[in-house]
Amino acid sequence: MKLDAIQLGMHWARLVTVADEMTSILVRTAFSTVVNQSHDCACMLLDAQGHSVAQSSHALPAFMGTMPHTAKEMLRRFGPTLVEGDVLVTNDPWVAGGHLPDLTVLRPVFANGELVAITASTAHLPDIGGKVWSADCNEVFEEGLRIPPMKLFAAGVRNETMFEVLRTNVRTPDDVEHDVMAQVGATAFGARRLQELLARYAGLDLRELAREILQRSEDAMREAISRLPAGTYRHVVELDGFSEPTTLKCSVTVGAEGLDIDFTGSSAQQPFGINSVMQYTQAYANYAIKCLLSPESPCNEGSFRMIRIAAPRGSILNAQPPAAVGGRHLTGMFVPFAIYGALAQANEALAVGDAGLPGSPNFTLQERNADGTTRSINQFYSSNGGMGARWGQDGIAACSFPTNIANVPAEVVEARSGLIVDCKMLTPDSGGAGRWRGGLGQTYAIRVPSDYKGSAWVSMLSDRTDHPAMGRLGGEPGSLRTNILNGTTALHPKKRVQLAAGDRIEIRMPGGAGVGEPSQRDPAAVRDDLRNGYITPDEAMRHYGVRAAP
């Protein structure tokens, strides 16, 4: 079937709809709040070579970048042996999502006995064993169960041995197993929808459709890159690190053949769980460019053919086994801001302030039941900082950018864990001042009940306690993050901490940075901020010279 532009658009929309339906099934059938509330998951359709073709509308950028890498490795290992009903699985950080909690499930799709596509999902499991999820491990072996690439189902037959190994090694076996089966169900639905599409449109070749979609996406990105002035642009980002600061050094070279992004000079691989693997680094670099240069075109692997990314082996952005990688987002999520800082030099209209970044305190609660068994609750709650401003627009408050997880409602936190949420609000004055103001962070206070009898642990998994989000073109930094126990004790941002009954943690998420000189901000916008409570009168006078109305 030869496709005209209208047919191509219709089929593209159908593929995105299939991916969206897969995600809806995954979110609605998963047991854990990390998936059904935070939406820490993604679904994707790939071609028979493992190239991404369509993704769900609500999808995490990390997974959109790592799933094609996983699919290609799975095809290399299992390609000739794959049959209808096979389901592949792995959480190996160097094959899948970059750390052990992220499990990837893939299903080959066949038509007339021939492999024509792959449906895939990645989701953050509520537990994967090992230490409580944190960044204070020294090797990946401490971080939990590492599942090598393997068949979870073989010709439709469930691998019960693998499920037994998984259940035996995690604290919440029912939640984990049900979340895995939700992923399996989502990929099965996607495969069925693709086969229905082929049955409805006789002569439609998914491989040709994929090739055309990928080529058009490549053409759109090529045209977007061609508008940039040629040259090499550099930027450095400073991070808190674990025991000492770390550095990301980035150069972006714009040329006739696309973009070359190089992180040579960045910090070496660290002896703590803040290392990023290469495909995770690539995922956030590609995402940064897509958002900045060609956000309207279809998002798939064609968009990234013009982008080449390099990071030295053994560096913090290309860590090698057995490096600890549990908190790899505490480094990898800074990659977009290294790139944005560089490209703002090419064109001020591309300026994007640094974001406060999401925070992900992970609580592990264990109580002994009357019959002597242990009840475990492992809950991960997203709480977000402010997004940086960009040219022409203020930053978004309490936004998880550069990822895409959702804020978890306080009611869900209390109902699922028994913890008490004392406070959840936007923090005034936390966004960096500028012609366009940075987004506000949020203040989030959570308390262990005074009558709690079990053990409770928390991992803050945070950054920006020493190095704030930095502004562009004269914009000012956002506020720093604080993690305070019982009103007095500053918690280590990346270590596990044991809590006692009645303990209270107050988290002030960092604000996003501003863009442009504060003196250039429209006074009417300043007065709107005052009316909305986003800034205080002192802030309005100090940064903008605007006096609050009496």
Side-chain angles (χ1 to χ4, degrees):
M1 179 185 289
K2 184 173 178 60
L3 299 174
D4 59 30
I6 293 175
Q7 291 171 319
L8 181 64
M10 291 172 58
H11 287 309
W12 162 252
R14 287 190 176 97
L15 295 180
V16 173
T17 299
V18 171
D20 283 343
E21 289 181 301
M22 290 171 63
T23 300
S24 180
I25 287 171
L26 173 56
V27 168
R28 290 175 180 271
T29 56
F31 275 40
S32 70
T33 56
V34 69
V35 175
N36 64 34
Q37 296 294 325
S38 291
H39 293 187
D40 195 343
C41 60
C43 293
M44 175 179 279
L45 306 179
L46 306 100
D47 67 13
Q49 287 73 48
H51 302 122
S52 65
V53 177
Q55 65 186 47
S56 48
S57 301
H58 183 105
L60 266 66
F63 299 158
M64 293 302 98
T66 60
M67 274 194 275
H69 176 83
T70 310
K72 294 180 182 69
E73 179 61 20
M74 291 294 203
L75 288 170
R76 186 187 70 80
R77 296 189 186 210
F78 300 105
T81 72
L82 294 175
V83 298
E84 187 82 37
D86 282 352
V87 178
L88 307 174
V89 67
T90 185
N91 71 340
D92 188 314
W94 286 270
V95 178
H99 69 174
L100 295 177
D102 289 340
L103 187 82
T104 298
V105 172
L106 303 100
R107 180 185 295 267
V109 182
F110 292 86
N112 299 319
E114 188 174 0
L115 178 67
V116 295
I118 297 169
T119 59
S121 75
T122 300
H124 186 117
L125 295 179
D127 189 53
I128 197 61
K131 288 185 176 181
V132 174
W133 182 36
S134 68
D136 59 358
C137 294
N138 302 118
E139 291 183 319
V140 70
F141 306 116
E142 303 172 54
E143 295 179 324
L145 179 65
R146 185 175 173 187
I147 303 169
M150 63 188 306
K151 291 187 178 182
L152 189 64
F153 285 73
V157 178
R158 187 169 127 137
N159 185 342
E160 296 294 350
T161 301
M162 182 60 242
F163 275 98
E164 185 65 22
V165 169
L166 183 60
R167 289 183 60 89
T168 302
N169 280 276
V170 298
R171 299 171 181 85
T172 55
D174 290 341
D175 282 4
V176 169
E177 181 177 0
H178 287 305
D179 277 19
V180 173
M181 288 305 298
Q183 290 185 254
V184 172
T187 60
F189 177 88
R192 186 166 69 250
R193 278 285 191 259
L194 289 178
Q195 290 165 338
E196 290 170 356
L197 179 66
L198 292 173
R200 181 176 179 181
Y201 296 94
L204 177 63
D205 189 329
L206 278 181
R207 293 163 298 188
E208 288 298 327
L209 176 61
R211 274 194 284 271
E212 182 66 20
I213 291 171
L214 292 173
Q215 185 59 53
R216 293 194 179 215
S217 296
E218 178 182 348
D219 293 344
M221 180 59 78
R222 185 186 302 273
E223 196 277 331
I225 293 173
S226 71
R227 295 195 295 266
L228 294 174
T232 297
Y233 309 94
R234 295 180 172 84
H235 189 65
V236 177
V237 173
E238 299 290 339
L239 291 70
D240 292 353
F242 190 94
S243 56
E244 60 184 17
T246 56
T247 301
L248 305 185
K249 290 187 177 181
C250 175
S251 69
V252 180
T253 300
V254 182
E257 299 303 316
L259 298 180
D260 288 281
I261 302 173
D262 194 337
F263 292 98
T264 297
S266 298
S267 293
Q269 183 172 311
Q270 299 293 295
F272 303 101
I274 57 173
N275 299 292
S276 177
V277 299
M278 190 62 202
Q279 74 269 18
Y280 190 82
T281 297
Q282 290 173 324
Y284 271 104
N286 285 332
Y287 177 68
I289 296 299
K290 184 73 173 68
C291 289
L292 193 65
L293 300 185
S294 185
E296 300 88 0
S297 64
C299 187
N300 52 57
E301 205 158 340
S303 302
F304 311 127
R305 289 172 174 169
M306 299 284 292
I307 306 170
R308 294 165 294 277
I309 302 155
R313 285 175 60 88
S315 70
I316 197 170
L317 291 174
N318 187 3
Q320 301 301 302
V325 291
R328 83 314 192 211
H329 60 290
L330 299 172
T331 295
M333 282 189 188
F334 286 81
V335 164
F337 307 113
I339 294 170
Y340 291 156
L343 287 180
Q345 302 164 36
N347 183 347
E348 67 177 14
L350 298 178
V352 179
D354 292 356
L357 299 177
S360 46
N362 188 67
F363 291 88
T364 300
L365 309 173
Q366 290 185 317
E367 289 184 291
R368 187 165 296 279
N369 299 319
D371 62 0
T373 59
T374 300
R375 172 177 175 263
S376 296
I377 300 173
N378 204 38
Q379 297 290 349
F380 151 66
Y381 299 116
S382 57
S383 53
N384 297 320
M387 183 176 175
R390 56 265 203 214
W391 183 266
Q393 192 167 350
D394 290 345
I396 301 170
C399 176
S400 64
F401 186 82
T403 187
N404 200 23
I405 54 175
N407 283 293
V408 179
E411 296 82 359
V412 173
V413 174
E414 294 181 334
R416 289 297 301 267
S417 68
L419 298 169
I420 300 168
V421 178
D422 286 341
C423 170
K424 188 175 185 182
M425 68 177 194
L426 296 180
T427 309
D429 296 342
S430 55
R435 181 179 179 184
W436 297 286
R437 175 186 45 75
L440 272 61
Q442 61 180 316
T443 297
Y444 187 82
I446 194 164
R447 177 164 45 91
V448 181
S450 58
D451 59 351
Y452 184 71
K453 304 300 184 185
S455 65
W457 290 82
V458 64
S459 302
M460 299 314 301
L461 289 165
S462 59
D463 205 277
R464 297 221 185 279
T465 57
D466 294 319
H467 295 81
M470 299 305 293
R472 305 276 184 267
L473 309 177
E476 298 192 5
S479 63
L480 289 169
R481 173 169 175 157
T482 60
N483 307 304
I484 305 298
L485 176 64
N486 296 329
T488 58
T489 304
L491 297 176
H492 190 286
K494 296 179 176 68
K495 287 184 177 180
R496 295 170 299 138
V497 176
Q498 187 165 15
L499 302 176
D503 277 350
R504 182 181 187 272
I505 296 175
E506 182 175 292
I507 303 166
R508 292 203 172 192
M509 296 300 298
V515 168
E517 296 288 346
S519 60
Q520 297 178 348
R521 186 166 179 78
D522 185 349
V526 178
R527 287 190 284 271
D528 283 344
D529 287 346
L530 281 166
R531 279 192 295 271
N532 291 323
Y534 296 159
I535 61 175
T536 60
D538 285 347
E539 181 88 350
M541 192 65 196
R542 181 168 63 253
H543 290 291
Y544 303 110
V546 175
R547 191 178 302 277

